[in-house]
Amino acid sequence: MTENELLTRCGGKCELCGSDVELSIYDLPASDGHENEIMICENCSSQIAAPDTMDMNHWRCLNDSMWSQVPAVQVMSYRMLKRLSSESWAQDLLDMLYLEEDLRAWGDAEAAAASDDTPPTLDSNGAVLNAGDTVVIIKDLNVKGTSFVAKRGTAVRNISLTNNPEHIEGRVNGTRIVILTCFVKKS
């Protein structure tokens, strides 16, 4: 697509945050037959390029952009939400987001390339855990910051992996918590 076509498509605004300042074309790598160019602002571009400078509150705009009709915008929103998944609001948005199978594979392509040397997340029996798995808690756990105990035998569905292979995240009693993998087994 030409720059003029992209500007027309986005209405002269960043397709991620809606800013109309300093727009430029951003190419998403690993496109599989989809148009892989989006129009983004300098603020979004610089934070994508240097994740250590990310302003978490800036990315709350993904609440809107994740529903875009443009596949490349959906994929970029998905990728950014995955980067921010340690933030509870970002994880909640990820839980709501629906992507077609091919778009999810495109979105996960960047993460797979970046995490080839990351050790796998293992449960208490040594079984490999993946995002979306269901696990069972094997010991009563006091949940810090709450007044409840995660009871032994509780199933935790649709878990999320973290940057630490010894931690997973999941919902227990409607609350999103971090659980040590030594206290769960894959079901």
Side-chain angles (χ1 to χ4, degrees):
M1 261 186 160
T2 68
E3 186 171 355
N4 286 337
E5 290 172 324
L6 283 170
L7 283 168
T8 300
R9 178 181 81 192
C10 71
K13 295 185 184 284
C14 174
E15 292 184 277
L16 295 178
C17 74
S19 171
D20 59 0
V21 180
E22 298 183 49
L23 298 178
S24 61
I25 297 173
Y26 181 82
D27 288 321
L28 274 75
S31 174
D32 188 21
H34 293 285
E35 191 67 47
N36 66 333
E37 297 171 328
I38 61 174
M39 189 64 76
I40 63 174
C41 68
E42 178 58 34
N43 189 12
C44 288
S45 180
S46 64
Q47 290 187 52
I48 290 168
D52 54 322
T53 65
M54 285 180 40
D55 172 12
M56 302 303 171
N57 287 323
H58 170 78
W59 294 104
R60 289 182 183 263
C61 62
L62 297 173
N63 185 44
D64 295 325
S65 61
M66 70 185 218
W67 303 113
S68 172
Q69 297 299 311
V70 178
V73 175
Q74 293 173 356
V75 168
M76 193 65 213
S77 297
Y78 173 73
R79 287 181 179 179
M80 294 310 297
L81 287 169
K82 293 282 278 187
R83 281 190 195 176
L84 298 164
S85 65
S86 63
E87 299 288 320
S88 61
W89 62 267
Q91 187 60 52
D92 289 342
L93 291 178
L94 263 176
D95 291 345
M96 286 190 297
L97 181 62
Y98 173 78
L99 289 178
E100 296 290 334
E101 195 172 312
D102 62 327
L103 294 181
R104 186 169 299 271
W106 179 16
D108 288 334
E110 176 190 56
S115 66
D116 287 340
D117 58 347
T118 305
T121 301
L122 305 175
D123 73 357
S124 60
N125 296 327
V128 175
L129 296 174
N130 298 302
D133 283 348
T134 298
V135 296
V136 175
I137 298 174
I138 61 171
K139 176 185 174 189
D140 288 354
L141 302 172
N142 291 323
V143 180
K144 292 181 182 178
T146 68
S147 61
F148 72 88
V149 174
K151 296 288 187 183
R152 178 177 155 204
T154 300
V156 181
R157 291 173 179 73
N158 198 21
I159 64 166
S160 299
L161 303 182
T162 66
N163 294 337
N164 184 340
E166 295 177 2
H167 297 160
I168 60 168
E169 290 185 359
R171 288 198 186 278
V172 175
N173 293 348
T175 303
R176 186 157 202 84
I177 63 171
V178 174
I179 307 169
L180 294 175
T181 57
C182 62
F183 297 125
V184 298
K185 68 178 181 178
K186 190 173 184 176
S187 62

